[in-house]
Amino acid sequence: MLVDNKPTGIIEKQLRRFDGSLVDVETTCTPVLYEDKKAIQSVARDITKRKEIERTLE
């Protein structure tokens, strides 16, 4: 990502919270410059409720 300087698409994954429970999230990562250095900004959005509804509808 840093070489091509292109953001990722939306990636769905499960993350483990500090209490040990799992949470479904969508993540995106974007290359940015921070204090004149290459960095990656990551954003995660909780989609647990949406995934529960999807599983119920299946």
Side-chain angles (χ1 to χ4, degrees):
M1 176 184 6
L2 290 175
V3 174
D4 295 334
N5 202 36
K6 293 181 182 178
T8 65
I10 295 173
I11 301 168
E12 290 187 9
K13 57 173 47 175
Q14 285 189 322
L15 298 178
R16 188 169 306 278
R17 294 181 173 145
F18 288 118
D19 67 2
S21 64
L22 293 175
V23 60
D24 292 304
V25 297
E26 285 180 339
T27 62
T28 58
C29 298
T30 305
V32 296
L33 280 178
Y34 180 73
E35 296 182 355
D36 294 324
K37 295 180 184 174
K38 288 185 177 185
I40 298 172
Q41 178 182 19
S42 298
V43 177
R45 183 172 74 135
D46 185 345
I47 58 168
T48 302
K49 294 289 185 195
R50 185 182 86 197
K51 296 302 271 185
E52 288 173 359
I53 292 169
E54 288 175 0
R55 287 189 279 271
T56 301
L57 292 175
E58 289 177 354

